[in-house]
Amino acid sequence: MDGDVAVGLKRGSDELNMYSSSPTALPANGSDTKKQRLDESPPSRVLHIRKLPNEVSETEVIALGLPFGKVTNILMLKGKNQAFLELGTEEAAITMVNYYTAVTPQVRNTPVFIQYSNHKELKTDSALNQRAQAVLQAVSAVQDGSSPSSDPGVLDLTPPPSPVLRIIIDNMFYPVTLDVLQQIFSKFGTVMKIITFTKNNQFQALLQFSDPVNAQQAKLSLDGQNIYNSCCTLRIDFSKLVNLNVKYNNDKSRDYTRPDLPTGDGESVNKDHSLLGTMSPLSAAAAAAAAAGRVALSGSGVSGVLLASNLNEEMVTPQSLFTLFGVYGDVQRVKILYNKKDSALIQLSDGNQAQLSMSHLNGQKVFGKVMRVTLSKHQTVALPREGLDDQLLTKDFSGSPLHRFKKPGSKNFQNIFPPSSTLHLSNVRDGVGEDDLRLLFSNSGGTVKAFKFFQDRKMALIQMTSAEEAIQTLMELHNYDMGGNHHLKVSFSKSTI
């Protein structure tokens, strides 16, 4: 992992003195020189941010949290280069920490530490924290779509002039595609249209949101950020245009409200364009997922082996871990540790697959326990020596026919989503009805809340009561033999029913 990130663990001893406790923080990559303690503190909607650069503004700190939800409070400790950020919900804070576990958060190109605070709520003295509160009030007004009432000298948040942004990419060492831009900016609202072009030897884009407020949030949060490590810097301004006229849907322009538009050049709209030139499509998906988290990608050169801990040792098997992590990469080997059976090593094809898996699965509840996923120091998972029985705790899946990403250009590359309560089913056998599938998934220990067949009845959406239930049923029923050489395919969906 690039840089130091402290996440999911007890706060640093240099946290506010007014808080009573002094356990130390443990960075995810173990490179902090402070005294370390392994006992984890529970998630909190208050996050402690350390090692901020000098003269950092409140706006820049708030921007770290904006993509993940509403920011409800902030406390700056400028003398200590620290800040506390309170998000509207604990779920938003967990999502933020999970993203910044996989990729290094940066402010002004400086890596910073982010970790949970021991405190569930941030209480600030408004008189001492006046400027920060004014900035927060202005940002909240933008998030709510109302006019900010703060001092305009604190933060320029006048009503947004246009839903259209002009985007310039500086230091463009890797190609940036229309699809990458859509994934990054759609975190702030509905992206309606994008036009890309080259002007003065620079890659530029015009991007239209459905609402000017979303454009303002995206500009506030993304301007000056890098899409990839130390390159592809976003420079964002409002366009003088208020509506884009898109004639063709292809790799240069797209109108998401008009899927019927011609391509204009004879190319299919769905043609698989590599995001990073020589990168594999799955690496590209990892890049897009990292970009959607609004931070730089640090997958290159990283080990493809993950350590999953805090597992339910009574329930988890190498096969179930292969199936779950296989949603995000091609799992080669799994080893449940002999002396610590609540932990396992999972080897994927490369570091990008490992990072993609970690960013989506760290912090998810699996069989009643919150699973922790980190990068392992191991480069490979060793198989037991021949003749040694290790209680079937290690399994080699390198020749498995169930790898989702072996085939270049597979639709699986476009359908990588975080765990959710809704599952996408495909390869449903003819004659199998809604009642059959509801019964199958109910018998796997879950409760089916909703169901919807696609028109061809070969695919369906099924909604469980929670993401945890969906994870459990996916592990059990992906590749389920429905007879007649039909094996059910199960993945997470971004849709709801």
Side-chain angles (χ1 to χ4, degrees):
M1 187 184 300
D2 231 15
D4 296 334
V5 192
V7 291
L9 298 145
K10 296 241 180 181
R11 56 183 173 73
S13 57
D14 53 354
E15 194 172 334
L16 272 182
N17 293 332
M18 68 185 194
Y19 292 136
S20 57
S21 181
S22 59
T24 54
L26 177 68
N29 65 351
S31 59
D32 198 8
T33 55
K34 292 178 177 295
K35 186 183 174 185
Q36 298 175 348
R37 181 176 289 186
L38 293 172
D39 52 329
E40 298 184 357
S41 68
S44 164
R45 66 191 183 100
V46 179
L47 299 177
H48 181 210
I49 304 168
R50 297 191 290 121
K51 303 247 175 134
L52 288 164
N54 292 327
E55 306 306 319
V56 68
S57 70
E58 289 87 350
T59 310
E60 289 171 289
V61 176
I62 291 170
L64 284 170
L66 271 184
F68 306 97
K70 190 173 180 66
V71 177
T72 51
N73 208 348
I74 180 173
L75 177 63
M76 301 288 289
L77 303 174
K78 293 197 172 178
K80 292 188 173 185
N81 299 88
Q82 298 177 39
F84 290 87
L85 200 64
E86 179 186 277
L87 279 80
T89 65
E90 191 175 287
E91 185 180 13
I94 292 171
T95 304
M96 179 172 167
V97 166
N98 283 350
Y99 265 118
Y100 291 144
T101 304
V103 283
T104 305
Q106 295 192 7
V107 176
R108 299 190 183 187
N109 291 322
T110 302
V112 299
F113 289 74
I114 298 178
Q115 62 199 89
Y116 295 120
S117 168
N118 277 355
H119 294 267
K120 298 294 183 186
E121 188 180 354
L122 190 56
K123 294 179 180 175
T124 53
D125 184 327
S126 56
L128 297 174
N129 202 35
Q130 207 165 10
R131 177 187 165 88
Q133 292 302 310
V135 175
L136 187 66
Q137 186 182 358
V139 173
S140 296
V142 172
Q143 286 184 314
D144 296 335
S146 58
S147 298
S149 57
S150 63
D151 175 1
V154 173
L155 181 64
D156 181 17
L157 279 176
T158 51
S162 166
V164 179
L165 296 175
R166 185 186 64 152
I167 302 157
I168 298 173
I169 311 282
D170 285 342
N171 304 318
M172 191 163 149
F173 299 142
Y174 298 115
V176 175
T177 69
L178 183 146
D179 290 325
V180 166
L181 290 175
Q182 195 271 339
Q183 289 203 45
I184 296 169
F185 283 84
S186 63
K187 201 153 186 68
F188 298 89
T190 302
V191 174
M192 298 179 71
K193 303 171 187 178
I194 304 177
I195 298 172
T196 63
F197 54 95
T198 301
K199 185 176 179 181
N200 302 329
N201 291 323
Q202 275 191 313
F203 178 84
Q204 300 190 25
L206 293 170
L207 184 146
Q208 181 177 340
F209 280 100
S210 60
D211 190 321
V213 168
N214 300 138
Q216 187 155 19
Q217 283 183 256
K219 180 181 181 300
L220 178 69
S221 187
L222 295 176
D223 187 30
Q225 296 291 334
N226 295 332
I227 298 178
Y228 305 117
N229 267 358
S230 304
C231 67
C232 299
T233 307
L234 292 163
R235 304 293 178 203
I236 304 170
D237 285 305
F238 285 106
S239 170
K240 292 177 182 176
L241 301 170
V242 293
N243 187 40
L244 298 179
N245 181 23
V246 176
K247 294 181 179 178
Y248 303 113
N249 282 341
N250 52 36
D251 61 332
K252 300 287 192 296
S253 63
R254 191 79 51 86
D255 185 338
Y256 295 96
T257 68
R258 293 279 312 278
D260 56 314
L261 287 178
T263 58
D265 54 9
E267 287 190 14
S268 164
V269 181
N270 295 321
K271 184 176 177 185
D272 184 34
H273 296 278
S274 173
L275 301 181
L276 294 181
T278 57
M279 257 182 146
S280 71
L282 190 61
S283 303
R294 201 192 55 70
V295 283
L297 174 72
S298 53
S300 53
V302 169
S303 159
V305 180
L306 296 172
L307 173 65
S309 57
N310 200 39
L311 302 172
N312 184 330
E313 57 187 88
E314 302 296 323
M315 303 294 292
V316 163
T317 64
Q319 182 66 48
S320 64
L321 292 171
F322 165 78
T323 303
L324 178 57
F325 283 78
V327 173
Y328 303 107
D330 290 338
V331 176
Q332 304 299 309
R333 292 175 181 175
V334 178
K335 177 190 284 288
I336 294 175
L337 304 186
Y338 182 81
N339 293 321
K340 200 174 188 320
K341 292 189 173 66
D342 69 344
S343 300
L345 295 171
I346 298 110
Q347 180 181 337
L348 291 108
S349 290
D350 59 43
N352 288 297
Q353 292 188 12
Q355 284 214 328
L356 189 63
S357 302
M358 181 171 66
S359 69
H360 284 312
L361 293 176
N362 179 47
Q364 294 292 337
K365 215 169 185 185
V366 181
F367 295 123
K369 298 184 73 174
V370 176
M371 178 172 67
R372 299 292 173 205
V373 184
T374 56
L375 292 169
S376 169
K377 62 186 179 185
H378 297 284
Q379 296 300 308
T380 59
V381 171
L383 293 173
R385 290 195 297 276
E386 196 172 345
L388 286 181
D389 179 16
D390 72 345
Q391 302 178 5
L392 303 177
L393 298 177
T394 306
K395 192 158 183 182
D396 187 350
F397 295 98
S398 56
S400 173
L402 299 180
H403 287 153
R404 296 179 189 245
F405 306 105
K406 268 196 298 197
K407 187 179 174 186
S410 164
K411 284 186 178 178
N412 291 333
F413 293 119
Q414 302 160 28
N415 295 311
I416 299 173
F417 304 113
S420 68
S421 58
T422 306
L423 296 168
H424 179 274
L425 316 182
S426 59
N427 206 33
V428 177
R429 185 183 177 185
D430 288 341
V432 173
E434 177 178 339
D435 289 344
D436 300 315
L437 290 167
R438 278 179 173 269
L439 182 63
L440 180 64
F441 278 75
S442 297
N443 286 342
S444 293
T447 302
V448 176
K449 285 186 69 179
F451 183 92
K452 179 185 174 184
F453 258 125
F454 286 67
Q455 199 167 1
D456 62 2
R457 297 182 73 84
K458 289 183 167 54
M459 294 191 292
L461 294 176
I462 191 164
Q463 187 175 341
M464 312 304 290
T465 56
S466 65
E468 182 186 1
E469 276 192 9
I471 288 171
Q472 188 172 323
T473 50
L474 180 142
M475 287 193 293
E476 189 165 332
L477 294 176
H478 177 62
N479 203 47
Y480 177 81
D481 188 354
M482 306 187 77
N485 203 27
H486 274 73
H487 288 80
L488 185 67
K489 305 299 178 194
V490 185
S491 56
F492 297 112
S493 173
K494 66 176 178 181
S495 306
T496 53
I497 303 172

